[in-house]
Amino acid sequence: RNPQWRGGVTPLGVTLRREVDPLRADVLARDGYACRLCGGRDRLVIHHVLPVWARPDLVADPGNLAVVCTPCH
């Protein structure tokens, strides 16, 4: 493993993902505070349906965000 590897996190990615923070509460409420895949209610995260690297223009589009639990993510 390369010691320079940082898990695919880039400064641009961090900047783009910051746009999601203000949307978090609305997306959680929209999805009923439950994982879209299994219905679980613990350890929820916001997931980009289309990855940020593929569609940076959709980074803050609520339609491209889904609530999933950590195990499903």
Side-chain angles (χ1 to χ4, degrees), residues 46-70:
I46 303 297
H47 170 70
H48 286 94
V49 177
L50 296 174
V52 173
W53 61 265
R55 292 296 306 269
D57 58 314
L58 296 179
V59 72
D61 181 350
N64 189 44
L65 301 173
V67 174
V68 294
C69 64
T70 302

Side-chain angles (χ1 to χ4, degrees), residues 8-19 48 52-53 59:
V9 177
T10 65
L12 176 60
V14 170
T15 300
L16 289 173
R17 286 175 180 85
R18 278 190 193 132
E19 296 180 35
H48 286 94
V52 173
W53 61 265
V59 72

Side-chain angles (χ1 to χ4, degrees), residues 1-43:
R1 188 170 190 175
N2 187 319
Q4 296 300 314
W5 176 251
R6 299 287 182 252
V9 177
T10 65
L12 176 60
V14 170
T15 300
L16 289 173
R17 286 175 180 85
R18 278 190 193 132
E19 296 180 35
V20 175
D21 288 341
L23 303 172
R24 182 177 171 76
D26 291 337
V27 174
L28 284 165
R30 179 198 69 199
D31 289 354
Y33 298 93
C35 175
R36 276 198 186 178
L37 299 176
C38 72
R41 295 185 175 274
D42 295 324
R43 299 171 47 200

